[in-house]
Amino acid sequence: MSKPTVRRYLKQLAPGTPLRAGLDRILHGGTGALIVLGNNRQVQLVSSGGFKIGVEFTEQALRELAKLDGAIILSTDLTQIVAAGVHLVPEGDLPTAETGTRHRSADRTSQAAGLPVITVSASMGTISVFYEGHRHLVETVRQVTSRANQTLAALSRISTRVTELLEQFTSLEIAEQVTLRDLTNVAHRLELTRRLSSEMQFHIDLLGVEGRMVALQHDELVASFAGVGDLLEQDYSPTVADPSEFDLGRLHNFSHDELFSGQLVAERLGFGPNPNLEQHLPTRGIRLLTTVGRLPASLVSRLIDGSSLQELFGATLANLMEIDGIGPTRARQIRDALIRVSEAT
């Protein structure tokens, strides 16, 4: 399935949305339904009979119209109920693995029209979305919440490990002892954090209004890593032959096993074939001054362009004030930041 598109439709079915409220009413009423999410020429070609309605979409109207035999067709923006009691007659040679009449019709109509089609099964107590030849079961709040909590627990463990790694990495950067192995360890765990965060956001989307608490927990966990990947790219891209290759986004399509291979991660980040993981790497100090020292990006850029990190550690207030645009107040701010960085070791 096309994940971004399916995800968008599933968000429209999240608890708290008008469409989900209408579907729940149908389910609780003990009736089934067949609903086409959108209206185009292909939908018209496979439609027969029924009643043109053209009324505003409401959950109450959806529930009442579901009592009629036949399908309900909604407008593409889901604000109007276009027709009800429609008999769908897609081509019978479209492939489908479904056996029930309603589900077969939904699957084939979705393929013919290129739009999602929803089925509500009273006997099974389920809501399904058919799209691009696939059936996606709309899970209950309890089911999604259970998976969200599992993902949140995994994200919490990884976040703790990343925090520890970054603290160690900070000490190594200050001592100028960072190796390529250290960098790949941080890079692959940041990627794991990103993947779990993305999975968590998917669960939050599915939960809708029921996901507010886990959304707050998720945001708290990932807040400390926001922008860290970009700062690492700025710090270490000059250490490879082609700085444009040092992009942590290049790890997004790595398999789990590939991600845990320091050699493969280093190669993907531009360090060439068979890189020496024990080679030492210089740092520009951008992450240190920005996240640990809490200096604004504009000031960090000016400092890094004029001095190396080690030169900054040895600089006096007078030395700092020699940098263009830095007066006594800024100089003291920088010294305080450097002290914070030193104390982080």
Side-chain angles (χ1 to χ4, degrees), residues 24-292:
D24 285 341
R25 280 175 176 258
I26 295 170
L27 201 57
H28 294 155
T31 58
L34 182 60
I35 305 168
V36 182
L37 300 187
N39 184 30
N40 57 23
R41 177 172 171 75
Q42 287 72 29
V43 171
Q44 297 302 316
L45 289 175
V46 300
S47 298
S48 175
F51 308 94
K52 291 184 179 180
I53 298 178
V55 299
E56 180 183 359
F57 175 90
T58 65
E59 56 194 74
Q60 296 88 350
L62 188 69
R63 166 71 183 98
E64 292 303 315
L65 291 171
K67 295 176 182 178
L68 298 174
D69 289 334
I72 298 171
I73 299 175
L74 304 183
S75 60
T76 302
D77 60 5
L78 307 184
T79 62
Q80 297 280 320
I81 299 177
V82 177
V86 177
H87 181 48
L88 298 176
V89 285
E91 294 293 336
D93 58 354
L94 289 171
T96 179
E98 299 299 328
T99 55
T101 302
R102 180 179 290 148
H103 289 162
R104 290 172 69 87
S105 180
D107 192 6
R108 286 174 170 158
T109 299
S110 174
Q111 293 180 57
L115 293 170
V117 179
I118 294 175
T119 62
V120 180
S121 174
S123 61
M124 298 294 292
T126 59
I127 301 171
S128 301
V129 179
F130 289 87
Y131 189 60
E132 296 182 345
H134 296 273
R135 179 184 182 183
H136 187 96
L137 185 67
V138 178
E139 297 175 296
T140 64
V141 170
R142 179 177 295 181
Q143 289 171 322
V144 180
T145 299
S146 175
R147 289 195 293 109
N149 286 331
Q150 292 175 16
T151 304
L152 197 64
L155 180 59
S156 178
R157 290 192 295 271
I158 287 291
S159 297
T160 299
R161 180 55 181 149
V162 172
T163 299
E164 294 171 351
L165 271 178
L166 286 175
E167 290 174 355
Q168 297 169 11
F169 198 71
T170 294
S171 300
L172 292 171
E173 285 186 321
I174 293 172
E176 295 185 302
Q177 293 297 314
V178 173
T179 66
L180 181 53
R181 186 184 301 279
D182 298 320
L183 180 60
T184 59
N185 283 340
V186 171
H188 92 250
R189 282 182 170 81
L190 281 175
E191 172 60 15
L192 285 177
T193 303
R194 185 201 66 80
R195 293 182 185 188
L196 285 171
S197 176
S198 178
E199 182 178 334
M200 192 64 217
Q201 189 58 59
F202 180 65
H203 298 329
I204 292 169
D205 289 344
L206 295 185
L207 286 170
V209 295
E210 301 292 338
R212 287 171 294 189
M213 185 58 67
V214 290
L216 288 173
Q217 293 174 282
H218 166 257
D219 290 345
E220 185 177 359
L221 281 174
V222 300
S224 58
F225 307 119
V228 171
D230 293 336
L231 296 175
L232 286 176
E233 290 173 8
Q234 295 178 54
D235 272 337
Y236 292 97
S237 58
T239 61
V240 298
D242 183 356
S244 65
E245 290 192 12
F246 194 96
D247 178 0
L248 297 186
R250 292 165 63 86
L251 303 179
H252 290 359
N253 63 351
F254 259 27
S255 69
H256 186 78
D257 290 339
E258 289 173 327
L259 197 59
F260 276 83
S261 168
Q263 289 280 349
L264 292 177
V265 170
E267 289 178 12
R268 179 58 64 91
L269 294 180
F271 287 92
N274 300 315
N276 176 14
L277 296 182
E278 305 309 321
Q279 63 178 295
H280 284 81
L281 303 176
T283 179
R284 299 178 68 197
I286 297 175
R287 184 190 67 86
L288 285 177
L289 295 175
T290 302
T291 61
V292 183

Side-chain angles (χ1 to χ4, degrees), residues 276-315:
N276 176 14
L277 296 182
E278 305 309 321
Q279 63 178 295
H280 284 81
L281 303 176
T283 179
R284 299 178 68 197
I286 297 175
R287 184 190 67 86
L288 285 177
L289 295 175
T290 302
T291 61
V292 183
R294 301 194 291 275
L295 290 175
S298 57
L299 182 55
V300 170
S301 177
R302 195 182 312 165
L303 291 172
I304 295 302
D305 288 343
S307 307
S308 69
L309 184 61
Q310 293 306 315
E311 288 173 337
L312 287 174
F313 278 120

